[in-house]
């Protein structure tokens, strides 16, 4: 079961002429933070799968994990830039990511393709759930732009979840 961060981070915003109130932006940036850092963790785990997977399905899985990692990186970039647009500070250092992890790390020494498919299905599914929970919170904050950024990212990510888990659908 992936770890869930409990600590509420202190949010200090940069000055900006963004039309939303500071109070509103603090709340939105607080909601964005676990998605923003979690998306970078998920990107790295998908790259780990891309580089280390072994088995008869290597070629297809190597490409599939790479496509999913590119997709997640694009979402991570959107989330980080949107955090900055609202005056927040995106998390972008290994030290900060490691301090408050959003996802359980990949098991060490993993190579087998079935294990990678199962673990990456778990991580992508967990992250999709995290984004869905954040969307529920965002609905209360009256910011359709942030909501739209997250919704578009989620739709694309759920497609990757389907593509990964379909390899072992009968075993889930
Ligand atoms: Fe590559």
């Amino acid at each position: 079961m992936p770890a869930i961060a409990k600590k509420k981070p202190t949010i200090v915003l940069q000055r900006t002429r963004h039309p939303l109130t500071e109070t509103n932006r603090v709340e939105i940036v607080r909601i964005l933070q676990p998605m923003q850092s979690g998306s970078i963790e998920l990107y790295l785990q998908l790259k780990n799968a891309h580089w280390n997977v072994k088995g008869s399905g290597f070629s297809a899985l190597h490409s599939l994990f790479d496509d999913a990692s590119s997709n997640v990186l694009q979402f991570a970039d959107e989330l980080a830039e949107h955090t900055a647009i609202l005056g927040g500070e995106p998390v972008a250092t290994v030290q900060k990511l490691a301090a408050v992890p959003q996802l359980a790390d990949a098991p060490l020494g993993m190579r087998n393709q079935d294990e990678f498919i199962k673990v990456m299905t778990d991580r992508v599914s967990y992250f999709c759930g995290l984004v869905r929970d954040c969307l529920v919170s965002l609905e209360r904050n009256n910011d359709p732009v942030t909501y739209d950024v997250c919704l578009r990212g989620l739709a694309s990510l759920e497609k990757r979840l389907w593509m990964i888990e379909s390899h072992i659908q009968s075993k889930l």
Side-chain angles (χ1 to χ4, degrees):
M1 178 65 73
I4 301 169
K6 300 282 185 210
K7 211 171 94 180
K8 251 195 167 183
T10 304
I11 307 285
V12 179
L13 298 183
Q14 300 288 311
R15 293 172 73 92
T16 167
R17 296 290 303 274
H18 193 285
L20 288 177
T21 66
E22 183 170 353
T23 306
N24 203 351
R25 285 185 287 110
V26 164
E27 276 312 301
I28 295 167
V29 167
R30 193 187 301 284
I31 295 166
L32 284 173
Q33 275 191 338
M35 285 188 287
Q36 192 260 306
S37 57
S39 63
I40 299 173
E41 292 174 49
L42 185 59
Y43 164 73
L44 288 172
Q45 291 207 25
L46 285 162
K47 273 295 187 189
N48 180 50
H50 167 67
W51 291 322
N52 285 303
V53 69
K54 300 273 186 268
S56 58
F58 170 78
S59 186
L61 289 169
H62 180 67
S63 298
L64 177 63
F65 289 136
D66 201 28
D67 167 74
S69 73
S70 298
N71 182 261
V72 172
L73 183 60
Q74 194 178 341
F75 189 26
D77 191 49
E78 291 263 6
L79 289 168
E81 288 178 356
H82 200 70
T83 298
I85 286 166
L86 294 167
E89 183 184 350
V91 172
T93 68
V94 172
Q95 205 172 20
K96 284 182 181 173
L97 289 170
V100 190
Q102 299 300 323
L103 304 179
D105 207 354
L108 289 174
M110 189 165 52
R111 294 286 182 275
N112 177 273
Q113 62 184 33
D114 283 357
E115 202 181 354
F116 264 114
I117 293 165
K118 199 163 184 301
V119 168
M120 293 323 301
T121 295
D122 176 74
R123 300 301 187 270
V124 176
S125 167
Y126 178 80
F127 187 72
C128 286
L130 178 70
V131 177
R132 279 187 173 270
D133 289 346
C134 291
L135 282 168
V136 171
S137 302
L138 283 169
E139 268 186 325
R140 294 193 285 267
N141 279 277
N142 197 27
D143 177 15
V145 178
T146 303
Y147 190 92
D148 181 63
V149 166
C150 297
L151 186 62
R152 281 187 287 111
L154 178 63
S156 190
L157 205 55
E158 289 191 349
K159 184 173 177 181
R160 269 65 193 188
L161 173 61
W162 167 64
M163 293 169 82
I164 296 170
E165 75 175 352
S166 292
H167 286 79
I168 50 166
Q169 195 76 60
S170 59
K171 300 179 192 170
L172 291 175

